[in-house]
């Protein structure tokens, strides 16, 4: 383990660094600077493509060299930006000065340097860079993890589609179900909410100091800056521009993204708790790995720690996601600075979510089905066929069937196959109906 991991304050960058490493490409300080450089370069290229009169002579063959500035951006470049920031005490201005230095290295671009960051305010860069980083992190890291979880659950649902299982409602025995169907519930829920997340707009603010293109319009009043900005944000960044803003993004759509992730996380918490319970009920055993210890005191323990780890991380993630969704859309007048520091934490709940999903996957891969225990519980709970019997008796017009079954089953007497069959034998119904009722067992009363 690297010393950095041992001394990190956050477990995301310490204990769990191996799980969250891919997110560093999107949410680290280095990544944020790289995204800012990317937006600035693409914006400058857009101004050249218009072109603004002063940029008409810019050699478009150099666009490749300009894009190489962010495509080849490395940690040394990021450090140079941070060094400039020590003087400017402004992170986005440091990016502008860094790009001007890169123009000097290309050579012959002195006349064009002042069109870097032309007409913009810092939030035109931040409120494009951050949503862009979120969009790409979701596509490259988060979606594949959720889809892997859904695929594993789908395979289990298919594998165990015919395994009968005693259901529990309110913690009490209820009408039997199938294990595969119960897992399919999570496949359905996660698939629906992932679809909902993917449908969320990821939008950007891009409109100058207070959202009105003041500087752009005063310098070039004949240009349609709203259309230019719409095209830049959509075609160059793959985002949608918010049409009416203050100095900063409205953050409403980003809040919707956070809420959608929170719903997915909540479903996974539900899943974690269910599988934790199934293991406690001995419906599953867990694969044992040589050398692992379940308890420092009790040698026999094989604990469902993966689900517990997942649940804990999802709880942290959801608390942060809720805060982000509620806080970011609120800002005093045309802008206060509270969003700036808060935005730097958008990767944190995603980090905890990724840790959690990987823990859930690890736990699911350990499962060993214990059909014997499931069958035993069904055999010991014949009372659950009461619903089936009273429903058929209703169909047959039998008087007060619910009450008859209630009187039979809501006693301290254990319901067995014999008890149920003796009750059926004394019913005043045809032999064919009795045969139908006799054929019902806790193993086959599982619906569709």
């Amino acid at each position: 383990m690297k010393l950095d991991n041992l001394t990190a304050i956050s477990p995301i960058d310490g204990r769990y660094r191996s799980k969250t490493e891919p997110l560093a490409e999107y949410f680290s300080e280095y990544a944020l600077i790289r995204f800012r450089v990317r937006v600035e370069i693409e914006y400058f290229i857009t101004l050249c493509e218009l072109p603004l009169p002063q940029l008409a002579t810019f050699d478009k063959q150099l666009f490749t060299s300009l894009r190489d500035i962010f495509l080849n951006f490395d940690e040394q470049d990021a450090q140079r930006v941070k060094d400039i920031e020590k003087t400017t005490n402004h992170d986005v201005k440091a990016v502008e000065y860094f790009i001007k230095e890169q123009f000097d290295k290309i050579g012959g671009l002195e006349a064009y340097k002042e069109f870097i960051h032309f007409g913009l305010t810092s939030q035109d860069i931040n409120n494009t860079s951050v949503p862009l980083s979120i969009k790409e992190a979701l596509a490259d890291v988060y979606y594949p993890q959720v889809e892997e979880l859904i695929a594993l659950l789908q395979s289990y649902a298919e594998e165990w589609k015919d395994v009968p299982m005693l259901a529990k409602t309110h913690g009490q025995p209820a009408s039997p179900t199938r294990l595969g169907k119960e897992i399919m519930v999570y496949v359905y829920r996660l698939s629906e909410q992932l679809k909902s997340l993917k449908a969320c707009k990821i939008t950007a603010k891009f409109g100058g100091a207070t959202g009105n293109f003041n500087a752009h319009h005063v310098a070039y009043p004949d240009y349609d800056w709203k259309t230019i900005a719409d095209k830049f944000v959509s075609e160059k960044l793959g985002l949608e521009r918010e049409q009416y803003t203050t100095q900063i993004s409205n953050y409403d759509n980003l809040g919707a993204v956070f809420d959608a992730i929170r719903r997915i996380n909540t479903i996974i918490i539900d899943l974690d708790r269910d599988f934790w319970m199934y293991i406690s009920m001995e419906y599953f055993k867990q694969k044992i790995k040589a050398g692992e210890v379940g308890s420092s005191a009790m040698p026999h323990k094989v604990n469902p720690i993966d689900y517990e780890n997942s649940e804990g991380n999802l709880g942290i993630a959801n608390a942060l996601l809720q805060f982000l969704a509620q806080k970011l859309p609120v800002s005093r007048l045309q802008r206060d600075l509270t969003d700036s520091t808060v935005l730097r934490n958008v990767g944190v709940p995603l980090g905890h979510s990724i840790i959690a999903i990987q823990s859930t996957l690890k736990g699911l891969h350990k499962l060993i089905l214990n059909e014997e225990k499931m069958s035993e519980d069904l055999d010991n709970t014949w009372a659950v066929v009461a619903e089936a019997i009273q429903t058929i008796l209703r169909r047959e017009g039998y008087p007060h069937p619910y009450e008859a079954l209630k009187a039979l089953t809501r006693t301290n007497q254990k319901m067995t196959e014999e008890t149920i069959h003796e009750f059926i034998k004394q019913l005043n119904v045809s032999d064919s109906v009795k045969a139908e009722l006799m054929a019902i067992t806790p193993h086959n009363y599982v619906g569709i």
Side-chain angles (χ1 to χ4, degrees), residues 48 57-68 106:
C48 292
T57 58
F58 190 90
D59 184 2
K60 292 180 174 53
Q61 298 298 316
L62 292 176
F63 287 172
T64 299
S65 297
L66 295 186
R67 288 191 168 104
D68 283 341
I106 295 171

Side-chain angles (χ1 to χ4, degrees), residues 337-354:
L337 200 63
T338 52
D339 67 312
S340 181
T341 189
V342 168
L343 274 181
R344 291 180 177 275
N345 290 276
V346 296
V348 178
L350 275 173
H352 283 289
S353 299
I354 291 298

